Amino acid sequence: MTTMIAWYDWCGYAGVVLVLLSFLLLQAQKLKPHGWIYQLMNVLGAVGIMLSLIFGGFNLPAFLQELAWALIGIYGIIVSQRKRRDMTAR
């Protein structure tokens, strides 16, 4: 018997991998905490998890956590971009 995994489940799995991998790489000092790669991995991971929650089985507390995680990551990307732009303008 074949079990099909829905696209939104794959998004959720990929999201979990991205969030955990970004944290692992941060702890291993392979990524910088203010770097855009770390922030982007967190944002994409949170979006993937949110998609799985929206389409696969909604859970409001988990959704709100992932929404906050994505917004914080977006904020981090914006701040790091501004700092880079200011550094190059000098």
Side-chain angles (χ1 to χ4, degrees), residues 21-23 25-33 37-38 41:
L21 183 61
S22 70
F23 188 59
L25 293 173
L26 178 69
Q27 297 306 311
Q29 298 180 353
K30 301 295 183 188
L31 291 177
K32 296 177 184 174
I37 293 175
Y38 174 71
M41 288 176 74

Side-chain angles (χ1 to χ4, degrees), residues 20-82:
L20 293 177
L21 183 61
S22 70
F23 188 59
L24 172 66
L25 293 173
L26 178 69
Q27 297 306 311
Q29 298 180 353
K30 301 295 183 188
L31 291 177
K32 296 177 184 174
H34 300 292
W36 68 273
I37 293 175
Y38 174 71
Q39 301 298 341
L40 186 61
M41 288 176 74
N42 278 291
V43 169
L44 293 176
V47 169
I49 295 169
M50 285 191 295
L51 286 171
S52 73
L53 289 168
I54 291 168
F55 293 101
F58 193 74
N59 178 322
L60 182 60
F63 181 83
L64 292 175
Q65 177 181 340
E66 295 307 318
L67 178 61
W69 200 259
L71 292 174
I72 292 167
I74 291 168
Y75 171 77
I77 291 170
I78 291 169
V79 168
S80 66
Q81 288 297 93
R82 284 183 183 163

